[in-house]
Amino acid sequence: MPRIHRFTSPQDRTGPKKRTALTTAGVALAVLAVGTPVAYATLDDEAPAASRSTASALAAHGKAYIETRLLFGTERPDGGADVTDRQFMAFIDEEVTPRFPNGLTIQDGRGQWRDSNGVIERERSYELTLLYPASEARVRDVRIERIRDAYEKAYAQDSVARLEERTTADF
């Protein structure tokens, strides 16, 4: 039977562990080589000034605001009739608009949560978004809490969820 000679490259003579180590080293060198210009660019004396000018340009397009979102459920835990669109809009007119006359956004939603008995409850809901200057946060906080309390009392709700984020806005 004829003997077959296999010609091998230097890489074929290394074991699997050595090939893995060489591959890993090669990838690491490639990452370092590609990342080096980025690192030098961020260490350059010009970069911080450029970043500052970009940041100040962005800041010129917006001021500090607070975005508060309130989530209103429509089913009554006491078994009463669901809050209707007409009732909710009357609530907005009477309780929210006088406290936030500059504007607001209302969205219809569907919500769910686990009640105190472990049951998943689902209901139609409303999401109210209020946007106001961050400098007015303390004054607005009192107004928002009065809105939440008024809705809970008027429609026998366990709670009205409140979410807040700092943002920038320009009008």
Side-chain angles (χ1 to χ4, degrees), residues 14-22:
T14 61
K17 286 184 182 179
K18 196 167 189 179
R19 273 195 298 268
T20 302
L22 289 172

Side-chain angles (χ1 to χ4, degrees), residues 28-115:
L29 285 172
V31 168
L32 287 173
V34 170
T36 301
V38 174
Y40 285 138
T42 58
L43 294 174
D44 187 7
D45 290 341
E46 296 290 326
S51 296
R52 280 194 299 272
S53 65
T54 303
S56 63
L58 291 174
H61 293 288
K63 293 182 181 178
Y65 274 76
I66 304 285
E67 177 183 358
T68 300
R69 292 183 292 149
L70 301 178
L71 306 175
F72 298 89
T74 57
E75 291 184 9
R76 298 181 196 215
D78 64 3
D82 290 0
V83 178
T84 65
D85 286 338
R86 181 174 285 185
Q87 289 172 316
F88 186 76
M89 291 312 296
F91 176 82
I92 293 296
D93 292 343
E94 295 164 17
E95 298 289 339
V96 181
T97 301
R99 291 182 172 98
F100 291 88
N102 291 340
L104 52 90
T105 301
I106 300 169
Q107 296 182 27
D108 291 327
R110 301 285 309 163
Q112 76 176 39
W113 77 98
R114 185 181 307 272
D115 71 12

